[in-house]
Amino acid sequence: MADHGHAADIPEMDYPEHERTYTGFVHFAEVGTVACLAIVAALAVGGTKHAWGTAIIGTLLTLIGTGVGIAAPSIGWRATLVPFVLMLLALLLY
């Protein structure tokens, strides 16, 4: 039979590291979700309103906001919310 070791040989779980990893994953998922919504809104502006220049600017703003949102957890998803709202306004006003 295989030797599975004794209970004393098993290291304890590193719960602070698990919590840090989970927090980072949730942060990345929040920023990524809003960034995807902003890019879809930019594509909608370009596709329905034929304003591809505005869509490209919105996409670039989304990429910048995503970088800022990931780098600064205190800002988080709100950095990508700005281009998302701008693209929704462009979609409504064009």
Side-chain angles (χ1 to χ4, degrees):
M1 287 203 137
D3 183 24
H4 295 293
H6 301 292
D9 296 339
I10 300 173
E12 290 188 26
M13 299 295 286
D14 187 5
Y15 288 107
E17 185 63 26
H18 285 277
E19 290 292 325
R20 191 181 71 78
T21 302
Y22 177 74
T23 302
F25 170 76
V26 169
H27 172 69
F28 183 76
E30 289 172 345
V31 173
T33 299
V34 178
C36 287
L37 290 172
I39 290 175
V40 168
L43 288 172
V45 168
T48 60
K49 306 297 182 180
H50 303 290
W52 288 105
T54 304
I56 290 171
I57 291 171
T59 302
L60 292 175
L61 288 174
T62 301
L63 291 174
I64 292 168
T66 302
V68 170
I70 289 174
S74 62
I75 298 172
W77 57 270
R78 290 180 291 278
T80 53
L81 187 65
V82 173
F84 177 56
V85 170
L86 290 175
M87 289 299 101
L88 288 179
L89 286 173
L91 191 59
L92 292 173
L93 297 178
Y94 271 106

